[in-house]
């Protein structure tokens, strides 16, 4: 993973000429005077951890698995939000952990937590490092230091239960690794978020990820049947049945806890057969409202559901953002729907036929497979595109929310309005939106924003983000549908669940993590 | 509701002659010397609440809504488990609350909790009174008295959101009332547990109910999109979107909390169109194992799912328990599957055709609509049957669990074996089982037991229940799939979630209910 950006540096993209023109002419984007800092120029704080603490950690994991070198520290600094990347590109690694610890077992995780609690060292559970909400930046105040607890060595497929269609997997598996291991058994998770190439299973669970195929495979939290969690107060083992009436569902308290309660060390996940058939296609609607109504009908009736459903608004359709590989070339008028169908041949045929009937009746125009296949080809490409845009002098970032269907038009207008107003200093920003996760009772809204970088793009985005958060809360949406809370949504989250909700989290945190070492400053205000 | 049994006394059933013979000849059941106590003979404790506390409660709700008469107290004593009924039939109302309070609004619930916390009065949130796990018997130790907080006046359909397909409903609505109110809008919840005629929406949520049509409509907890909860520490309002990544799902902490954290005062529930078509039918399999394999295939493939799926084991099929109205007459050999399909005409046709293909290929014999329609006709009849059986001198009770598919054969044998061993003093008991809630990764097992009453049938069942609980835990099942925890499963539940799990609940409880007045002794050990 590129330390200052996204993904495999070999896959870096060059912006096509029409996009460069658009940035320059419509947004007033100018290439910055300075390129990003070189790796050697990055400024790191002096490591704070006393030698005896390091020695105790080494006694747990072995000396090689406690790393204090610059490379390890830089690569565990923050996540992959645009502000994160802007800081790294400016050579600022002031949030770097003092050490990176790589435990190899559940017991070692317990022991690392024990050592850190004893010495009041903050612990940042670290999976793929792909948080876009500041979930990997612990507060240092009052702590002897900060350790990144990287779970990458917990990377095994422990067991497959083909009868129950579950698999026990370790949290440090990156999604493609997990898919390869499962594919050997003819199985898949079907979880394909934009962070797919780098994110880990533990992170998916801890931050309630939702993938591009959520309409068919469900959200990641839906897939979690069982969990083992290492906490400073001991081990939690949850999940003896798919569903239970034995009290509150404590799995749902761990899911979304973002490392603030413990470290997930094992997951029992629902799996499915690798689909025998796949088909993607495009549809066009006259307006975002018409497209939303069509998606709603499709997900509320009792016919078979598509596996992928994505509706771009007018601006996103015009720009062609659904196909990052061909951006600027593949756009169009109206609002593009990408629909995908995966499963058995029979299911794909039935679901496609049913969707065609509903979408056509709702006023959709069938565009054939090409836009769908274009989307599928470029589905993990957007983060690469962001790096190129940042280099060209654009501020580009995403944010998302969800709400009930009847709230969505208001929510859409409120967030779009807030972002536009906050970023219209010189030129009008490009604010694009799509719906990509649908439920019978509501859906998500995912916004992508591009504007010309100001002199201080971190502060520029902070202002816009604050305005968007306020708009989301006022319009009744949730502060995050699938990115999580981290530090960036912490205050808005507190408003969403109310003071008593926050107090519940604090009470749980005090019991599981009495020293408060786990991801301090993340999730819980 | 009959104070000493189930339901409308006018619907009391007479046991058919073949059943009476079976009880006598196979189980050695003898009619008891004494019939149940008359209402006037019931022994109630002297009401303990000091007059000033009653006056404060009356100031909140109005004098008429604080009841201390025998009738109200007896009708709020315990729930509807067999031990509950046996005690009531013996004239023992020693667990009666000192008063019954009927708040009329969320604010009144908050005020009742405030008064009770100030005077250390235990509060039992009371909906339909249909708990079968001792969920309505609060511990009195250390309390000035016990109040049943009956939510029956919170019985409005507050709002329908036809676009989002949700409705806001109050917790005191009994299921048939709720269905009538929704039907006026062409909507249904589709939640039909055996307690349907009397249970309330608040109780469904607080105890994680699951209905007979769960394969199609989902469990009740799946339907809960939003919640308002009155706690001694204030109000919780949860649920701004169908799904969210904003932290742990706190809705899932209230669901299943059985009144120990607060009183649910409002619910935003997913609703569906009243189905235009319905079809029920029967299938026969050679063995329980073959039937389970067929159900598993049906719920794991990607075809449309039936709305109702119920598989009886050999003994239950022989007795004909799936059709309580015709028990003893409608039995048969092998294992009966009842499959039901509800929805649009198209969906019913597709789902039925798909199920027929899968079930036939798995070795099922199609029995036509008659067994399915018989099941549908008698679907709420079993609790009436129990009263008649108790009167004849049988001990009859149910219990249930759930597990992953690969655990079910072991779980089935373990529980059946434990019940049989515990109740074989004189004759072998009748132990019947069915699967009635299926998921891609597992299913529930629901046991019905009948045996001859011993001299102390409450103790007799307690022994059997303890043996079943131990068997469930050892075989890896959950202690309850849809009955809840109450007092009866409390110790087993603690073992299921572990000491740290219990500590989490205690921490939440301390924060929301610092005086510990809410349903003390229920759920949390």
């Amino acid at each position: 993973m590129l330390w200052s950006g996204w993904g495999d540096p070999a896959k870096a993209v060059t912006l096509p000429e029409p996009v460069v023109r658009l940035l320059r002419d419509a947004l007033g984007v100018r290439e910055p005077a300075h390129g990003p800092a070189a790796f050697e120029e990055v400024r790191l704080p002096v490591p704070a951890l006393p030698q005896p603490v390091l020695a105790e950690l080494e006694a747990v994991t072995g000396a090689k698995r406690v790393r204090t070198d610059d490379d390890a520290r830089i690569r565990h600094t923050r996540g992959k939000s645009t502000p994160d990347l802007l800081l790294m590109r400016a050579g600022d690694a002031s949030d770097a952990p003092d050490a990176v610890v790589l435990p190899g077992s559940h017991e070692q995780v317990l022991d690392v937590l024990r050592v850190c609690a004893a010495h009041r060292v903050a612990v940042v559970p670290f999976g793929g490092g792909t948080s876009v909400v500041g979930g990997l930046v612990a507060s240092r105040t009052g702590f002897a230091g900060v350790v990144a607890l990287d779970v990458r060595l917990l990377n095994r497929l422990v067991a497959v239960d083909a009868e129950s269609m579950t698999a026990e997997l370790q949290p440090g598996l990156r999604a493609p690794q997990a898919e390869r291991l499962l594919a050997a058994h003819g199985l898949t998770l079907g979880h394909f978020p934009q962070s797919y190439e780098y994110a880990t299973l533990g992170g998916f669970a801890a931050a309630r990820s939702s993938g591009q195929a959520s309409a068919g495979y469900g959200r990641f939290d839906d897939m979690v049947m069982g969990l083992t969690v290492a906490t400073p107060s001991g081990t939690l083992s949850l999940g003896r049945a798919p569903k239970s009436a034995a009290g509150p569902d404590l799995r749902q308290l761990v899911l979304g806890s973002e490392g603030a309660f413990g470290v997930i060390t094992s997951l029992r996940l629902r799996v499915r057969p690798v689909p025998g058939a796949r088909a993607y296609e495009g549809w066009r609607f006259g307006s975002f409202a018409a497209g939303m109504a069509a998606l709603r009908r499709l997900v509320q009736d009792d016919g078979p559901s598509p596996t992928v459903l994505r509706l771009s608004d007018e601006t996103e359709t015009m720009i062609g953002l659904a196909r990052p590989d061909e951006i600027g070339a593949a756009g169009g008028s109206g609002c593009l729907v990408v629909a995908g169908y995966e499963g058995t041949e029979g299911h794909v045929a039935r679901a496609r036929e049913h969707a065609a009937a509903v979408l056509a009746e709702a006023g959709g125009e069938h565009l054939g497979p090409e836009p769908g296949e274009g989307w599928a080809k470029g589905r993990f490409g957007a983060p690469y595109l962001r790096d190129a845009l940042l280099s060209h002098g654009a501020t580009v970032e995403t944010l998302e929310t969800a709400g009930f269907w009847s709230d969505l038009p208001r929510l859409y207008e409120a967030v779009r309005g807030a972002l536009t107003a906050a970023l219209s200093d010189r030129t009008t920003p490009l604010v694009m939106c799509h719906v990509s996760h649908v439920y019978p009772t509501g859906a998500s809204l995912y916004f992508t924003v591009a504007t010309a970088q100001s002199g201080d793009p971190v502060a520029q985005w902070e202002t816009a983000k604050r305005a968007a958060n306020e708009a989301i809360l006022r319009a009744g949406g949730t502060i995050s549908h699938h990115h999580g809370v981290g530090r960036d949504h912490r205050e808005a989250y507190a408003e969403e669940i109310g003071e008593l909700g926050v107090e519940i989290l604090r009470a749980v945190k005090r019991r599981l993590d009495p020293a408060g070492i786990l991801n301090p400053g993340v999730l819980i205000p």
Side-chain angles (χ1 to χ4, degrees), chain A:
Chain A
M1 172 83 101
L2 181 62
W3 64 275
S4 61
W6 182 263
D8 179 356
K11 293 195 201 163
V13 300
T14 309
L15 291 186
E17 197 44 40
V19 176
V20 175
R21 251 199 321 274
L22 175 82
L23 293 174
R24 190 184 57 217
D25 300 345
L27 298 180
V29 167
R30 296 288 171 269
E31 278 209 37
H34 308 286
F39 188 79
E40 301 68 34
E41 295 169 330
V42 175
R43 300 174 303 283
L44 275 163
V46 177
L49 274 188
Q51 189 53 44
V53 176
L54 290 172
E56 280 191 51
L57 291 172
E58 286 173 3
V60 172
T61 59
K64 280 189 187 155
R65 295 181 178 177
V66 179
R67 294 184 56 181
T68 53
D69 54 290
D70 288 359
D71 189 73
R73 292 177 67 208
I74 289 173
R75 288 177 189 282
H76 289 81
T77 303
R78 308 188 189 98
K80 297 296 180 183
S81 71
T82 292
D84 290 345
L85 301 195
L86 289 167
L87 288 171
M88 291 308 276
R89 292 165 72 101
D92 174 351
S94 55
D95 289 315
D98 299 298
V100 178
V101 185
L102 300 135
S105 67
H106 174 80
E107 287 66 32
Q108 287 189 7
V109 174
L110 285 172
D111 284 342
V112 168
L113 295 179
R114 184 181 45 72
V115 170
C116 290
H119 296 283
R120 226 180 138 63
V121 174
V123 176
V124 181
F126 199 100
T130 61
S131 171
V132 290
V133 292
L136 301 167
V137 181
S139 162
R140 288 169 187 263
T141 316
F143 292 96
V146 176
V147 153
L149 190 162
D150 188 321
V151 293
R152 74 175 61 186
L153 298 179
L154 301 175
N155 63 358
R156 287 190 310 121
L157 166 60
V158 179
V160 168
D161 179 347
E163 195 177 343
S164 307
M165 289 300 276
T166 65
E168 193 185 336
L169 294 137
Q170 291 189 318
L173 282 168
R174 292 182 195 275
Q177 284 180 294
E179 287 294 340
R180 269 195 302 277
L181 292 169
L182 289 171
H185 300 264
L187 301 171
T188 180
L189 291 169
H191 188 69
F192 305 109
Q194 194 135 75
S195 59
Y196 174 79
E197 294 178 347
Y198 291 91
T200 58
L201 303 187
F204 290 151
R208 292 188 176 270
S209 174
S210 192
Q212 294 165 355
S214 68
Y217 295 99
R219 298 162 57 86
F220 197 79
D221 46 18
D222 292 334
M223 299 175 197
V224 177
M225 299 291 118
L227 283 163
T228 307
V229 189
T231 84
S233 298
T235 296
L236 271 176
S237 283
L238 302 168
R240 284 170 160 249
K243 294 278 184 175
S244 167
D249 190 345
L250 296 178
R251 294 175 295 200
Q252 299 292 332
L253 198 61
V254 174
L255 296 165
S257 64
E258 302 188 9
F261 293 161
V263 180
I264 295 166
T265 57
S266 183
L267 291 152
R268 184 172 186 168
L269 300 176
R270 178 185 178 186
V271 292
R272 312 215 191 199
V274 170
R278 284 189 179 87
Y280 307 114
E281 62 187 14
W283 288 77
R284 191 195 313 280
F285 284 84
S287 69
F288 198 41
M292 283 231 256
L295 262 54
R296 182 165 66 82
R297 283 183 56 184
L298 200 46
V299 77
Q300 286 182 343
D301 77 13
D302 56 10
S305 170
T307 309
V308 172
L309 262 179
R310 177 191 166 118
L311 164 70
S312 297
D313 73 354
E314 289 84 349
T315 313
E316 191 178 290
T317 303
M318 184 184 70
I319 299 295
L321 192 67
R323 301 168 62 175
D325 288 8
E326 302 169 52
I327 196 161
S333 64
C335 289
L336 176 68
V337 166
V338 170
Y341 314 91
E342 301 184 6
T344 56
E345 294 270 0
H347 174 75
V348 167
R350 282 191 306 270
R352 198 172 182 178
E353 187 188 345
H354 176 72
V358 172
L359 296 175
E361 199 189 305
E365 175 198 349
H366 190 224
L367 303 176
E370 204 274 333
E373 283 161 12
W375 166 83
K377 193 162 144 272
R379 64 195 290 186
F380 306 124
Y384 291 96
L385 190 62
R386 177 176 57 167
D387 283 336
L389 289 163
L390 292 176
S391 292
H392 268 80
T395 290
V396 58
E397 180 58 307
T398 65
L399 58 85
E400 39 81 60
T401 178
F404 295 104
W405 285 111
S406 59
D407 293 330
L408 291 183
R410 197 164 42 110
L411 190 52
Y412 171 66
E413 292 301 341
V415 178
R416 204 165 59 137
L419 287 168
T420 305
L423 292 169
S424 288
D425 263 9
R426 284 163 302 175
T427 58
T428 305
L430 207 51
V431 180
M432 301 166 276
C433 183
H434 64 257
V435 172
S436 48
H437 305 272
V438 291
Y439 306 93
T441 59
S444 70
L445 295 176
Y446 191 98
F447 294 87
T448 303
V449 188
T451 192
Q453 275 175 28
S454 74
D456 183 349
V458 173
Q460 178 191 27
W461 179 248
E462 204 173 89
T463 306
K465 176 76 177 172
R466 197 178 311 116
N469 287 356
E470 279 168 23
I472 287 171
L473 288 179
R474 269 201 313 273
T478 179
I479 199 61
S480 173
H481 172 268
H482 59 274
H483 282 171
V485 176
R487 293 175 78 90
D488 299 356
H489 292 150
R490 192 181 54 196
E491 312 310 329
Y493 173 53
E495 203 171 317
E496 176 170 340
I497 62 171
E499 184 55 26
L500 197 53
V502 173
E503 285 294 320
I504 291 174
L505 299 179
R506 287 191 180 131
V508 173
K509 168 100 175 161
R510 271 194 302 271
R511 185 58 192 83
L512 295 178
D513 175 25
I517 55 166
L518 278 164
N519 236 358
V522 167
L523 186 71
I524 305 172

